[in-house]
Structure formats: C-alpha cells, structure tokens
Amino acid sequence: MALSSMTGFARSHGASGPYAFEWELKSVNAKGFDLRMRLPPGWDELEAFAKKRAAEVLSRGAVYANLSVKRTSAVSTVRVNEEVLASIVRVAGVLAGKIDAVAPSIDGLLAIKGVIEVVDPENDDVQDKAAKAAAAAAFDQALLDLLEMRQREGATLGQILSQRMDEIERLAKKAEAAPGRRPEAIKARLTEQIAALLESSDRFDPDRLHQEAIMIAAKADIREELDRIASHISQAREMIGKGGPVGRRLDFLAQEFNREVNTCCSKSNDLELTNTGLEMKNVVEQFREQVQNLE
C-alpha cells in the first residue's frame, strides 16, 4: 500500500436530465476521520451513501464535501395571483370613496408583493432519481481523485521521512564514534574528578569511591539508547516502505525517538556528543512535523 497524506482537493462535474451538478472535496489533517457535507435542499439522501463510501476509502482526515446543483433546462413561468389582486382592487375601491387619490396603475398593482408569482416547473420523479444516481457516481469519482492526490503527496512525504531517517542514522553513528565515549576518555575524566574530590577531602572511602565511579561511568553510557534508536529507525523504515495508514504509529515512534535523544543529551558529559544529540533532536522534530500530515 502507498503512503497517503491527509490533505488534498478534488472536483468533479456531471449532468443528468435538467440538472447540472458539481462536487468539491477538500481534506485537511485531523486525529480521526470525519466527513462534513453541504447539500442543496432535496438532495439529503446522498449523505448516507457518501459517508459510507468515503469511510471505505479514507481512514483519517477531515473531509469537506460541497454539492452545488443547477436546473439547466427548466423554465419557470409567471402567473398572477387572482385572489390577491382582487383583494387589492377591492381595498383600492373602498379607499377611493374616502380619500382623494389617483387610481392605481397596472404596473403599480403588479409591483405589490404577492400579486406576481414565479412558478418553478414540477419535478419529475424519474429524472430526479436518475440525477441523484449520477451525482452519487460523480462523488465517487471526486473521492478517487482526492485519494490519488493524497497518495501523490504521501509519496513525497515518504521520501522526506526516509531522508530524515538517514540523517538520524548518520548522527547516531557519529554519537557512537564520539571520542568522549571511548573508555580511556571516560576514565580520564573520572580520574580528574576523583583527584579533585580527594584534594578537597581525605575522608573518602576507597571502596565506596570505586563503586561511585562505576555508577557514574554506567550512567554516562548511552549504548542502550543508541541501540533503541537503531531499532526505531528500522521500524520507521519498515512502516514507510509498507505504507498504508501508518501516521499514528509513526507519530508514536517520533515520540520514542525524542525520548531516547533527550536521554542521550542528559547523559552526555562531552561537548561534541551534546552537540550531536541536539542536532539529532532537531531532525527528530522535523520528522515528527512531517508525520503529522500522514494518514
């Protein structure tokens, strides 16, 4: 399976009978999957189909779907509401006997609200059913186009994430080879620290001092953290290569990367190793930012 981004856009057009319609789909990042639809009156029955179909194709992301419909060949008719007009004429006649006023004109009467009515043609159930079926097919096409765009972006994200893994691996090897990690360097630093302590006091127990030195050396060792980082790199590469909806798992792995790198930095007693750890931490953050866009 391919990696897929959560962001994308797609549009599809269609026509059936007197109707012309257009779907517009847009998806953005989200923790889960959510489809929000805007449908014209009378087309609500498409919502259940669209949500079911989208859930079969997408697993994460907030998708906004908008359907616009126009009735292209329908011709509306104009008619006069005889009852309303008659009532107005009667009122005008009554008022004419009470006040000195000019008799109402035709255009004046027709301008009164309710006298003129615009009547839309009656719907044809067969045509409506066919149009909604065509609109459902157009939604399916727009959904597939959206998926294709998300997968194209996912492929680009996969390349970026692989590059970040290469950088983390390079920095982990650099940390492992840091001169400050060599036994002789650790021994030299401990010797200096112990000598400074002995100069300040002569009441140290040699056996206790030896034990403390061993503990300090063990705490400064980042072998375990480097091994876990190597394991995380292997897992991340496997997920990226496998594809599919792996965004959540890669996000969790990014947190684990960050935890191990922080431990390396806290254990470091060498400037070069600290700088390497900080550089690795920056790359891990870049990795995590990109992972946020994955399905």
Side-chain angles (χ1 to χ4, degrees), residues 87-134:
S87 297
I88 293 172
V89 171
R90 283 196 302 271
V91 172
V94 172
L95 291 175
K98 295 181 179 181
I99 60 175
D100 185 14
V102 179
S105 61
I106 295 298
D107 57 344
L109 289 172
L110 295 179
I112 298 174
K113 185 177 180 181
V115 174
I116 295 296
E117 296 179 345
V118 178
V119 182
D120 293 328
E122 294 184 2
N123 292 338
D124 184 309
D125 291 341
V126 176
Q127 288 182 338
D128 287 357
K129 186 175 181 180
K132 290 171 183 176

Side-chain angles (χ1 to χ4, degrees), residues 60 235-236 238-240 242-257 287 291 294-295:
R60 285 184 75 194
Q235 292 179 60
E238 182 180 355
M239 291 182 196
I240 294 169
K242 184 179 179 180
V246 295
R248 284 194 183 94
R249 284 183 288 168
L250 283 173
D251 184 50
F252 173 77
L253 206 56
Q255 297 176 44
E256 293 299 306
F257 268 122
F287 174 81
V291 163
L294 277 181
E295 184 177 22

Side-chain angles (χ1 to χ4, degrees), residues 8-232:
F9 179 83
R11 182 183 285 132
S12 67
H13 305 265
S16 176
Y19 297 100
F21 44 82
E22 178 184 83
W23 282 101
E24 190 173 279
L25 273 61
K26 179 178 70 174
S27 69
V28 295
N29 294 356
K31 291 183 178 180
F33 172 71
D34 183 27
L35 175 63
R36 302 178 185 180
M37 305 191 69
R38 183 181 297 172
L39 301 171
W43 295 71
D44 297 337
E45 63 191 73
L46 290 175
E47 184 171 358
F49 162 80
K51 287 190 173 183
K52 180 177 182 297
R53 186 71 183 98
E56 293 172 353
V57 177
L58 308 174
S59 61
R60 285 184 75 194
V63 181
Y64 300 87
N66 179 62
L67 172 64
S68 57
V69 179
K70 292 182 179 179
R71 196 163 182 175
T72 55
S73 61
V75 178
S76 299
T77 59
V78 177
R79 73 180 181 187
V80 177
N81 190 320
E82 299 287 350
E83 293 182 2
V84 174
L85 180 59
S87 297
I88 293 172
V89 171
R90 283 196 302 271
V91 172
V94 172
L95 291 175
K98 295 181 179 181
I99 60 175
D100 185 14
V102 179
S105 61
I106 295 298
D107 57 344
L109 289 172
L110 295 179
I112 298 174
K113 185 177 180 181
V115 174
I116 295 296
E117 296 179 345
V118 178
V119 182
D120 293 328
E122 294 184 2
N123 292 338
D124 184 309
D125 291 341
V126 176
Q127 288 182 338
D128 287 357
K129 186 175 181 180
K132 290 171 183 176
F139 174 83
D140 207 38
Q141 182 59 53
L143 185 63
L144 294 177
D145 291 343
L146 178 69
L147 177 63
E148 183 180 350
M149 181 176 181
R150 286 170 47 135
Q151 288 179 342
R152 285 199 305 268
E153 291 192 11
T156 302
L157 284 174
Q159 295 174 358
I160 295 172
L161 294 176
S162 294
Q163 292 171 2
R164 296 295 176 268
M165 285 299 97
D166 292 343
E167 293 176 31
I168 293 173
E169 184 176 46
R170 176 184 63 80
L171 290 169
K173 290 180 179 179
K174 183 178 178 181
E176 187 169 11
R181 288 198 66 247
R182 294 174 182 170
E184 56 269 23
I186 296 175
K187 182 178 180 180
R189 283 196 300 274
L190 287 174
T191 301
E192 292 176 3
Q193 294 172 359
I194 292 171
L197 289 172
L198 290 174
E199 286 179 6
S200 63
S201 174
D202 56 356
R203 291 185 299 174
F204 282 101
D205 180 356
D207 292 336
R208 178 64 183 274
L209 194 60
H210 178 70
Q211 293 176 2
E212 292 293 334
I214 293 176
M215 291 178 62
I216 292 172
K219 289 181 179 179
D221 185 18
I222 60 171
R223 176 72 268 160
E224 186 176 347
E225 285 72 25
L226 291 176
D227 286 343
R228 282 199 288 264
I229 288 174
S231 175
H232 296 339

